[in-house]
Amino acid sequence: QVQLVESGGGSVQAGGSLRLSCVISGYTYNRRCMGWFRQAPGKEREGVAGIYTGGRWSYYADSVKGRFTISQDNAKNTLYLQMSSLKPEDTAMYYCATDPSSDAIWRMTSRYWGQGTQVTVSA
């Protein structure tokens, strides 16, 4: 059974930093595509960043480019999201997801999701 467990969320002031972690277990597919997503109250879930094919290709939402960095540690089966220069509009529940299909990550239809970790940024 595939499980994803996020951690690292919290409350910070604007301009601060946080690093989110997502430990993935039970994943046995040869190909692994991963992503971070977020959902603020009253808003739809949106893609934040994705990473594919062993980390050789990644993408970022325009709203986080230059501030967030997605990375992975294959030895630890862990996905990271380093968030810097945080803004109040980054406040949301952050989720990680994984799937053999990069299209599923892009379309947010991944078959495996974590439970989320809350990030709150105060002005």
Side-chain angles (χ1 to χ4, degrees):
Q1 183 178 358
V2 179
Q3 291 187 322
L4 293 82
V5 179
E6 302 100 332
S7 62
S11 297
V12 296
Q13 291 188 328
S17 299
L18 284 173
R19 189 177 79 157
L20 305 183
S21 299
C22 173
V23 178
I24 303 170
S25 61
Y27 190 94
T28 59
Y29 298 93
N30 289 332
R31 188 165 183 254
R32 183 163 69 183
C33 306
M34 298 171 285
W36 286 99
F37 306 84
R38 66 186 182 186
Q39 187 167 19
K43 295 187 177 181
E44 294 185 352
R45 185 172 295 188
E46 63 174 348
V48 175
I51 191 166
Y52 310 145
T53 60
R56 290 194 292 272
W57 189 82
S58 60
Y59 82 88
Y60 296 91
D62 288 342
S63 58
V64 306
K65 281 180 181 177
R67 301 189 298 121
F68 291 11
T69 303
I70 189 171
S71 63
Q72 61 182 344
D73 185 331
N74 289 327
K76 296 182 179 180
N77 290 318
T78 302
L79 177 70
Y80 300 101
L81 185 68
Q82 178 67 48
M83 306 185 295
S84 302
S85 301
L86 283 162
K87 304 175 181 180
E89 50 264 44
D90 294 319
T91 294
M93 184 71 79
Y94 283 72
Y95 301 88
C96 63
T98 188
D99 196 281
S101 167
S102 57
D103 191 60
I105 295 292
W106 183 257
R107 296 179 182 273
M108 294 189 290
T109 57
S110 305
R111 66 192 76 182
Y112 305 113
W113 292 82
Q115 294 300 306
T117 185
Q118 178 68 38
V119 172
T120 303
V121 184
S122 57

